[in-house]
Amino acid sequence: MTNEIVTLITGANQGVGFETSKELAQKGQHVLLGSRNKERGEKAVQELKKLKLNVDLIQIDVTDKTSIKQAADKINSDYGYLSVLINNAGMTNDAHQKPSLMSTDVMREEYNVNFFGLIDVTQAMLPLLREADSAKIINLSSNMGSLSLASDPKSRFYQVSSLGYQSSKAAVNFATICFSKELADTNITVNSVNPGWTATGFGGRPADALKIPGMQEVEEGAARVVAMASDPNNEVTGTFTENEGTLPW
């Protein structure tokens, strides 16, 4: 039996991913902190080890299939299974330009991380997830990726223009739906989570981002992910939720 909960979190050397790593490790999970940059990852891991937490580094670049395979091979060699995969790595760099002006080169960069990277990591880790007694895939999405909210004139997202980022997160939600249906009869659940507008360095935000009205602290941004990742029942699948409840696709 796979008694120890082994959790991989991509893009976890900072922001919501780092906070999620800390809180899940505090709950007794063995966290594999995924980081593209080895030095930054090692620094993050050492910070958590000072708190006596069970955290190890997994160097993984979600845009590099060789890096993903090496990460999967290491997890297989060290543990033989994976309990939780949290696809946290993400980016945005389209600067809210109008769709008529937005470079497809910029959008491709966002898709490579936010969508194709997520798919490549999920596919590579599925054999390990199947080896766990109970397993979860949690995809970090965004309410900005909701087609319902983006097309509703009454929604605050109606005026938002971020074609690359928004559509990549809509694609993440569709991936959640597709994987949850394929894996419905297995030990693996698949869900999307919106962390919310959180004060981190995501998208080049300033260090004093908390001064921006409406931004939440990182603990709030990680709360829903932590709740789902630590739920012992693991019965819910194919959902899109946030701290306040269910979101429309």
Side-chain angles (χ1 to χ4, degrees):
M1 293 182 64
T2 55
N3 293 322
E4 183 181 49
I5 298 176
V6 179
T7 300
L8 171 64
I9 308 174
T10 63
N13 59 284
Q14 61 182 350
V16 171
F18 180 80
E19 180 65 24
T20 302
S21 299
K22 181 177 74 172
E23 294 190 29
L24 289 179
Q26 288 173 333
K27 290 179 177 293
Q29 297 189 16
H30 187 162
V31 173
L32 306 180
L33 188 151
S35 176
R36 177 179 59 85
N37 183 288
K38 185 178 180 181
E39 291 183 2
R40 293 174 185 170
E42 288 176 341
K43 182 179 179 180
V45 166
Q46 289 307 311
E47 186 174 340
L48 295 178
K49 283 187 177 294
K50 289 178 182 178
L51 301 176
K52 310 298 184 183
L53 298 177
N54 194 6
V55 179
D56 290 302
L57 175 66
I58 288 288
Q59 187 174 7
I60 181 169
D61 181 347
V62 304
T63 67
D64 184 338
K65 288 189 177 183
T66 298
S67 172
I68 294 170
K69 184 180 185 304
Q70 290 173 343
D73 288 346
K74 179 170 177 54
I75 295 170
N76 185 43
S77 175
D78 291 351
Y79 310 100
Y81 68 96
L82 183 66
S83 311
V84 183
L85 168 62
I86 301 177
N87 284 309
N88 171 78
M91 69 170 293
T92 180
N93 62 352
D94 57 33
H96 294 273
Q97 290 181 305
K98 294 179 180 179
S100 57
L101 300 176
M102 193 172 295
S103 166
T104 54
D105 290 336
V106 169
M107 288 189 277
R108 284 190 180 93
E109 291 178 359
E110 293 176 316
Y111 265 79
N112 281 339
V113 175
N114 298 345
F115 180 67
F116 293 117
L118 179 148
I119 299 298
D120 284 336
V121 171
T122 299
Q123 290 177 342
M125 300 300 164
L126 267 175
L128 291 164
L129 292 161
R130 292 181 188 276
E131 291 299 318
D133 296 328
S134 178
K136 305 172 183 178
I137 299 170
I138 300 174
N139 297 325
L140 270 288
S141 183
S142 172
N143 44 18
M144 290 177 65
S146 167
L147 297 178
S148 298
L149 294 176
S151 58
D152 181 0
K154 297 179 181 179
S155 167
R156 62 191 176 98
F157 298 105
Y158 187 74
Q159 299 298 331
V160 174
S161 177
S162 187
L163 177 58
Y165 179 73
Q166 288 180 279
S167 63
S168 71
K169 288 302 185 179
V172 166
N173 283 344
F174 202 83
T176 294
I177 292 170
C178 290
F179 276 109
S180 68
K181 289 192 293 185
E182 178 183 351
L183 300 171
D185 296 326
T186 74
N187 61 323
I188 306 169
T189 60
V190 191
N191 294 281
S192 279
V193 171
N194 168 48
W197 197 34
T198 307
T200 68
F202 184 75
R205 291 175 188 144
D208 60 350
L210 265 180
K211 296 179 182 178
I212 300 175
M215 271 196 168
Q216 61 186 6
E217 296 191 38
V218 70
E219 292 83 0
E220 295 176 83
R224 182 58 184 160
V225 183
V226 170
M228 293 206 78
S230 57
D231 178 9
N233 295 322
N234 196 28
E235 296 173 349
V236 176
T237 192
T239 68
F240 182 25
T241 60
E242 61 181 6
N243 289 339
E244 287 72 29
T246 301
L247 280 163
W249 298 106

